[in-house]
Amino acid sequence: MKKHVFKCVKKGWDGETEGVWFDTDLYTEDEARAQFTPVEKMVEKSGGHWFPFTFYEYDGEIYYSVEYLGIYDEDNMP
């Protein structure tokens, strides 16, 4: 079975990543990408300056970044 595979960096300071995948039989690439809901937040940077930042939410997790890695066979996932 083939999967759309994403590399996601979890919210937090340690840079923890995890893989998230969706069956290609159930989702197109665009439908898989749409599962990650953009969330706009204000983030404080050093010096007390605030700036807007887009996080992504999926299945109760918040991610700093979401990178689409492509389609992989279930037996050959990264």
Side-chain angles (χ1 to χ4, degrees):
M1 183 172 290
K2 294 188 181 210
K3 313 265 189 202
H4 295 287
V5 179
F6 294 83
K7 176 182 175 184
C8 304
V9 178
K10 291 177 121 181
K11 181 180 174 188
W13 295 105
D14 57 356
E16 181 182 351
T17 62
E18 70 180 10
V20 176
W21 57 88
F22 302 92
D23 290 339
T24 58
D25 291 342
L26 302 175
Y27 296 90
T28 65
E29 179 183 336
D30 288 338
E31 290 169 335
R33 287 178 185 272
Q35 299 306 304
F36 297 95
T37 305
V39 178
E40 294 287 330
K41 294 191 179 220
M42 295 298 287
V43 177
E44 185 176 11
K45 199 169 183 176
S46 61
H49 294 76
W50 290 83
F51 65 97
F53 190 83
T54 303
F55 294 91
Y56 300 91
E57 183 175 4
Y58 171 72
D59 198 28
E61 289 285 347
I62 302 288
Y63 300 105
Y64 282 130
S65 67
V66 175
E67 178 185 356
Y68 182 68
L69 299 179
I71 296 175
Y72 288 84
D73 287 321
E74 193 171 88
D75 298 331
N76 212 12
M77 301 253 285

